[in-house]
Amino acid sequence: MSNTHADTVLFVRDTMLPQEEPPSSTVGPVGWAKTNLFSGWANTLLTILSILFVAFLLQRLLPWFIAPTWHADSLSECREIFVGIARHHEGACWGVIRDRWQQLMFGFYPSELYWRPILALLLLLVALGPVLFAHLVPSRVMIFSVIYPFILPWLLWGGTVWVSVVTLAGFAVGYGVYKLALRAVPDGFAVIIAAFGTIIWWLYLTGPIANGLASVLPLALEPVASRQFGGFMLSVTIGVVAIACSLPIGIVLALGRRSDLPLVKWLCVGFIEFIRGVPLITLLFVASVLLNIFLPPGTNFDIILRVMIMTTLFASAYMAEVIRGGLAALPKGQYEGADSLGLDYWQAQRLIIMPQALKISIPGIVSTFIGVFKDTTLVSIIGLLDPLGLATAIRADTDWNGIYWELFLFIGVVFFLFCFSMSRYSMYLERKLQTGHR
Amino acid sequence: MTTLSDPPAESFKLSMLVYDTRYRAITFQIIALIAFLTLVGWLANNTIQNLADLGKEPSFGFMFEPAGYDINQRLIDYSSQSSHLRAAFVGLLNTLLVAVLGCITATIVGVIVGVLRLSGNWLIARLMTVYVEMFRNVPVLMWIVLCMAILIESLPAPSAFRGDDPASTMKLFDSVAITNRGVYVPEPLFARGLGDISVFGAFDISLDLIAILLVLGGSIFVSRRIGKKADATQEATGIRPRTWHIRTGVLLLPVIVLLGLLGFHFGYPELKGFNFAGGTHMRNSLIALWLALSLYTAAFIAEIVRAGILAISSGQSEAAAALGLRSNRIMSLVILPQALRVIIPPLISQYLNLTKNSSLAIAVGYMDITGTLMGITLNQTGRELETVLLGMLVYLAISLSISSVMNLYNNRVKLVER
Amino acid sequence: MKTTVFLGALTVAGLAAGAAGAATLDDVKARGTLNCGVSTGLVGFAAPDDNGEWSGFDVSLCRAVAAAVLGDPTAVEFVPTTGKTRFTALASGEVDMLARNTTWTFSRDVDLKFTFTGVNYYDGQGFMVPKALGVSSAKELDGATVCIQTGTTTELNLADFFRVNNMSYEPVPIETNAEAQQQFLASACDVYTTDASGLAATRATFETPGDFIILPEIISKEPLGPLVRHGDDEWGDIVTWTLNALVAAEELGVTSANAKDMASAATDNPEINRLLGTEGSLGEMLGLGNDWALMAITAGGNYGEIFEKNIGENTPIGLARGLNAQYTDGGLLYTPPFR
């Protein structure tokens, strides 16, 4: 009988028992280690092997790494220090980094002008603000992003400000031509005519007009020849210029590759596949030994500009593929929507497709940039003094002849910091963009 | 009633080239073609004029002149008296060799690392992450140089093997010598060899190798037939006859007999004079390049593999677990085959990258086509235009063939898709 | 000219900044700097210091020419070139002259269309081996592993030497001197071969130079000298005679210390007077100022001073003058008279 229950049972618990601690082997460091490191004999073995491996590496490397050589002025001085403390000569000679780190960073850029590349780098971050930190930066900064590509060369190379201004004015000229042409021909043709107008402005009018303005109002920074660029500054400059210039070219190529016009399509496919099919080093050989043959007799501009041109071409082929991916990822409805609004091809691209496709492509663009930035080390093979090239040059100094690992370690760490932070950022961006799109 | 009448035949007006969408496409293409031809013509014109100014006639005649330099790493006969063309070919074979070796190793390492990055073992997963990030974020040129330096500095020189109480000894029952000039392994030799056959009078191919391959091919064919027959018996009777011992015999016996007939034995490396002699010499430059390219590319492949595995929904592995499969079998039977579809396209571009990156061989003195044709030959003859263009064409051909072969394979894998 | 350094250079693609033309001298004067091709770094011959200032034996020649032409030894842009890019840089007009350990050979002079303007260092290819190897002659190197720098004449010489002596060898091609040094020190090659000056310079920086010997055989002639483009004889003359002036200055006892005094008033040696411009007008014949040689000599000293300062016996490199002594001391330096 149920109502007798209370009487028949001798004890009823009316409060919960306090929760037992989990067994000590499943919580805390021990538990964590047990689940994450020693679950099963295979895992245990792997863990022990890994620990041994790491310990072996540290035991070999740390003694080398910790060396009181920061103030040495030459390799022989380093050796004396090691003799002095009665140690094997096996140890790092960090003096070379103290002595040459500015050179590895800025090359032969005049040291009193170091503020210019640094300012250029800071302004680059500001200019990228609307793209990278869209939620933090007011969209008016976008205007700065547009004019930044014209501030950068002025800051780095110096000379009169008017060249940048007049070159920038080329866009205004192009827009004017576009508006004028629009009265006579449809949109697509107007774009082509405007492009022609702009190019003619740049090629034939910029120089004289800028010189004229400069003689009226000389606003100039001290010019620095591109030969004085070197080290990481050179790598960053080549990378930034290549990516910035390759963006418009890449867009054109990507659109061309998706075009319905067979001839345009095949030209673009041919270009992209050719560039992607050959190693960058061969393109750099072209820049160093052949570009002068392809250009009009007497044309001569220095090797760094030639390298930038070839790197830009190289980057644009990859950029085109990234943007093509972005275009392909757009839902078909966007295209159809644009069509149904009665927009023509160029209007649809400008107003609907490109803004969205570019947004999706940003992570791809960042990783293209990382790739190009890393590939700039190849310029050392054609004799430019990028960080690796400078390492060779530094080792040719009698003071530092025989130095090896210290320089490479430093260069590697700096590269790692640059690339790692960029790739982390691009991953963050990717996650952010993904949620925005679902 | 409306009658259907033909629209009035429009007469073609010139303005229609601009305004009529039917003709506008043609106009655009003509503009593009003219622009392209102008560009090509301009470049060609400049080139001709510049070459005339320099007094250089573009010609490939120099390719048939003696090269004059020696190449250490060569897969075909070559001496300093051979032509530049042959030197270029030696370089091409070296490029292909390191590319093939690199792709294979990179795939193996990449898949292992990619799977281990998802491992439950915290330490292993972290170590693999460190490896991937380290290699991905430092230029490959640095890794190549570094690998070479590590090999040179950490391995013993051949002189360390000399003397009564040598500092180093040969490994694996005195058959393998690991030195900082490379690794010497035993080479297969034939006491009663069949000799070589000359192809086009240019290359020698070992008849022994051909014979072994033929016999092996025959054995595999017979063994397959036996397998098929066993299948048929199984279908008919439900009992599978035991065939593995026959099949093993068929596969191994003829080759062993042939090897015996040819007088097969190993040639062991021996310390002679300055170096080890005999055996196959895998040079440091090859090993360093191979190692650096594989490890660098493997880091990327690991990421691709990881992304591919993560792309397979967890329902798949749960279902497989419900079927009672063990975790390594879940991976090999359920996850990887599906992930392959996601993995292969980016994998192809990694193979292409590896092949293209092999052109950095010059940094460690591995004589690939960049080192021979676009390196020493260019230097010694001063023919920049011809050598660089030829080199680019070769790379283009390699890239296009890799991507087309791999795309074929990709299409076959794709067919499995729903 | 200074207004548009970067975009200017881009916009001139069609307009031609023009440097490869005939009159290099005018270009250099208009530009205000001399573009001089040097190596990317070779101990004692060309290397940048921690301020980015280049110095070395080859560099000094560039500075002397800049001083002679522009009156300012610092008005030089140094363009680092590799074995591969050096000739193109010169042919395309990117550099006005090349002072980069380049061997004067027939084909370079004739086929590649360059003009060698003299020899600033008489060199020859030699071999360096560790003493422990017990080798005393290059003829005993059969089967050796040999480190060579690629992109130079050394590869061809080496191949010829071993073929003629019917010996086998294993070439290890290497891009830069620094890498070669590392491999050689780690015994990854038995022998290191390059120009004898390079061997000595390399050995000098070893921790224990005494453990290595340079074999007596010199297997080639390597006259190293500056070169310019074919077809601009005026410019070629300037480089030739600047080098000659440095050599003659040593012969005549004119140094950077006493050159100014000697030039202030005519001395009793007419050749010194002609050299320093106090007599005659040799400079004007070259299209330069009459004090051109004075400027060149005061820039870095005469040939002997440049040698001693950069690669001589008191430097870590410690090269003896040897063939590069004046003919009066048994060397090969013999400059035509200034007359």
Side-chain angles (χ1 to χ4, degrees), chain A residues 274 277-278, chain B residues 60 387-399:
Chain A
F274 175 75
V278 298
Chain B
F60 283 94
T387 49
V388 173
L389 286 189
L390 200 62
M392 286 175 102
L393 277 184
V394 169
Y395 273 111
L396 198 58
I398 298 176
S399 297

Side-chain angles (χ1 to χ4, degrees), chain C residues 111-229:
Chain C
D111 189 31
L112 294 183
K113 309 271 189 263
F114 295 119
T115 301
F116 282 81
T117 56
V119 176
N120 69 342
Y121 194 91
Y122 289 94
D123 216 334
Q125 185 175 345
F127 297 100
M128 173 160 60
V129 294
K131 256 188 193 148
L133 214 54
V135 171
S136 58
S137 156
K139 300 272 170 64
E140 300 166 24
L141 289 176
D142 192 12
T145 304
V146 185
C147 279
I148 34 169
Q149 258 186 284
T150 63
T152 59
T153 43
T154 33
E155 283 156 314
L156 307 186
N157 297 332
L158 187 68
D160 285 351
F161 175 77
F162 276 87
R163 193 163 51 89
V164 167
N165 288 299
N166 204 14
M167 301 191 296
S168 67
Y169 72 111
E170 160 102 12
V172 178
I174 291 157
E175 270 286 285
T176 64
N177 188 51
E179 313 271 334
Q181 188 179 326
Q182 191 202 16
Q183 295 222 11
F184 179 64
L185 278 179
S187 283
C189 41
D190 303 305
V191 190
Y192 179 33
T193 180
T194 185
D195 295 343
S197 64
L199 291 180
T202 308
R203 186 175 69 159
T205 59
F206 287 173
E207 207 173 346
T208 51
D211 291 352
F212 302 90
I213 52 166
I214 294 173
L215 297 179
E217 284 89 349
I218 296 293
I219 63 166
S220 69
K221 290 184 287 187
E222 308 280 343
L224 309 176
L227 56 158
V228 298
R229 281 181 294 280

Side-chain angles (χ1 to χ4, degrees), chain B residues 148-379:
Chain B
M148 186 69 175
I150 290 173
L151 287 183
I152 290 172
E153 297 283 347
S154 65
L155 296 176
S159 54
F161 293 79
R162 215 169 280 138
D164 296 328
D165 184 23
S168 316
T169 48
M170 290 166 71
K171 309 285 181 299
L172 287 178
F173 311 111
D174 270 5
S175 66
V176 177
I178 300 173
T179 74
N180 66 355
R181 295 179 190 177
V183 175
Y184 297 80
V185 294
E187 61 177 339
L189 289 176
F190 302 100
R192 295 175 289 275
L194 301 169
D196 295 332
I197 186 171
S198 177
V199 184
F200 310 124
F203 317 112
D204 291 331
I205 293 180
S206 159
L207 275 176
D208 306 310
L209 188 66
I210 295 177
I212 292 172
L213 286 181
L214 280 180
V215 169
L216 206 60
S219 307
I220 290 174
F221 178 74
V222 172
S223 151
R224 281 205 164 173
R225 287 296 296 269
I226 296 174
K228 284 230 176 87
K229 214 171 147 203
D231 286 345
T233 322
Q234 188 179 16
E235 299 249 322
T237 63
I239 302 160
R240 191 178 176 83
R242 253 160 45 109
T243 57
W244 66 266
H245 52 289
I246 306 174
R247 288 176 72 174
T248 321
V250 166
L251 275 179
L252 292 183
L253 269 184
V255 175
I256 290 172
V257 169
L258 180 70
L259 288 178
L261 282 178
L262 292 173
F264 175 85
H265 62 275
F266 278 114
Y268 292 102
E270 262 182 282
L271 199 54
K272 259 187 200 160
F274 295 106
N275 286 319
F276 280 90
T280 303
H281 181 192
M282 293 178 62
R283 280 169 187 78
N284 248 346
S285 48
L286 170 66
I287 298 176
L289 187 66
W290 174 20
L291 210 64
L293 288 178
S294 324
L295 291 180
Y296 180 78
T297 314
F300 288 86
I301 293 181
E303 284 298 274
I304 293 169
V305 169
R306 190 172 75 111
I309 292 173
L310 289 180
I312 305 303
S313 74
S314 54
Q316 295 283 335
S317 47
E318 284 160 12
L323 286 177
L325 292 178
R326 270 176 284 118
S327 66
N328 55 347
R329 303 216 93 190
I330 294 177
M331 191 53 94
S332 62
L333 291 178
V334 178
I335 308 282
L336 276 184
Q338 296 188 75
L340 220 52
R341 292 203 306 251
V342 188
I343 290 172
I344 282 183
L347 196 63
I348 298 172
S349 59
Q350 287 307 325
Y351 287 161
L352 281 174
N353 283 344
L354 190 145
T355 312
K356 285 187 285 172
N357 282 338
S358 73
S359 59
L360 300 179
I362 193 171
V364 289
Y366 179 73
M367 286 285 113
D368 73 335
I369 190 151
T370 316
T372 56
L373 178 67
M374 283 187 281
I376 307 182
T377 295
L378 184 155
N379 268 319

Side-chain angles (χ1 to χ4, degrees), chain A residues 36 43 47 50 184 186 192 261-263 276-277 279 281 292-295 297 318 374 405 408 416 419-420 424, chain B residues 18-19 24-25 28-29 33 46-47 50 120-122 124 127 133 136-137 142 145 149 296 356 359 395-396 399:
Chain A
N36 288 307
N43 259 338
T47 305
S50 316
I192 294 177
L261 313 175
L263 189 74
R276 278 160 47 93
I281 186 73
N292 281 312
I293 295 183
F294 292 145
L295 292 174
Y318 286 84
K374 281 189 297 175
W405 302 100
F408 279 114
F416 180 82
C419 299
F420 184 67
R424 280 293 128 144
Chain B
V18 176
Y19 290 106
R24 204 197 274 177
F28 269 126
Q29 299 201 53
L33 185 66
N46 289 334
T47 310
N50 278 316
N121 188 324
W122 181 86
I124 289 286
L127 275 183
E133 294 299 346
R136 262 161 34 114
N137 289 312
M142 286 202 68
V145 173
Y296 180 78
K356 285 187 285 172
S359 59
Y395 273 111
L396 198 58
S399 297

